[in-house]
Amino acid sequence: MSMTDMSMAASATMAMSDMASMTTSDMASATADSMSGMDHSSMMMGMQDMMMVFFSAKNTSLYSAAWTPSTTGQYVGTCIFLIALACIFRGLIALRCNFVALWTRSQRRRRGGLRYAADDPLVKQTRRPWAINEAASRAFLDTVLAGVSYLLMLAVMTMNVGYFLSILGGTFLGSFVIGGWTGTAAH
């Protein structure tokens, strides 16, 4: 072994022993120092910052910082919006459950006004022929359904009890009014 190799091995061993003797706080401060351009207070989070509990503040942002109610009326308006969005969600579910029947009905009307029957063999057929218009319509409906459900999920994730109860109330109201249509797909 040459002298250069021995000196490199000795430096590597010293660096490893230095790293092994570092405490966790030393590593954290070294990491924080290396990120000098970042805000240090936002980097360190204690367990009290990570607790997830419901709260009842009236100034909770919804979807963006621009949508932050500052008055009680704005908060109530936001809750009414969430009730309406949850009702729309239930309506979209009912529409999706009856998509094949509604699609077949609209096609029959377009082709000559044939009457719609619940026991129509085209509606009850298990494997329907693929059609681009029907597939695109179904895909669009599924995408809107996913988007609305994600918006509702984000509202619940704010952990605001008013937003949460508004979504539950809207789901109840939507199911109460439109829920009968959802069950027809199973018959």
Side-chain angles (χ1 to χ4, degrees), residues 42-145:
S42 67
M43 295 288 293
M44 301 298 174
M45 232 203 277
M47 284 303 290
Q48 69 274 11
D49 296 329
M50 296 175 64
M51 289 177 44
M52 300 299 279
V53 295
F54 281 105
F55 61 94
S56 60
K58 291 182 179 143
N59 60 349
T60 305
S61 296
L62 182 68
Y63 307 134
S64 75
W67 192 341
T68 304
S70 57
T71 65
T72 302
Q74 291 174 344
Y75 182 71
V76 169
T78 301
C79 290
I80 290 171
F81 167 79
L82 289 172
I83 291 169
L85 191 62
C87 286
I88 290 169
F89 177 67
R90 295 304 298 169
L92 288 170
I93 289 174
L95 182 63
R96 181 61 177 100
C97 288
N98 294 298
F99 181 81
V100 173
L102 293 170
W103 183 264
T104 304
R105 184 180 196 178
S106 71
Q107 293 303 312
R108 286 181 168 247
R109 280 188 183 161
R110 228 182 270 158
R111 290 188 189 144
L114 297 174
R115 67 177 177 79
Y116 172 76
D119 56 352
D120 186 354
L122 288 176
V123 175
K124 291 197 170 199
Q125 198 175 27
T126 58
R127 179 79 175 154
R128 298 175 42 78
W130 189 84
I132 191 165
N133 291 342
E134 181 181 352
S137 297
R138 185 176 38 248
F140 179 76
L141 179 60
D142 286 345
T143 303
V144 171
L145 188 61

Side-chain angles (χ1 to χ4, degrees), residues 33-44:
D33 290 340
S34 68
M35 299 177 167
S36 59
M38 298 182 131
D39 182 19
H40 297 296
S41 64
S42 67
M43 295 288 293
M44 301 298 174

Side-chain angles (χ1 to χ4, degrees), residues 161-179:
V161 72
Y163 294 172
F164 178 70
L165 292 175
S166 296
I167 292 170
L168 290 180
T171 303
F172 176 83
L173 182 62
S175 291
F176 185 75
V177 173
I178 310 170

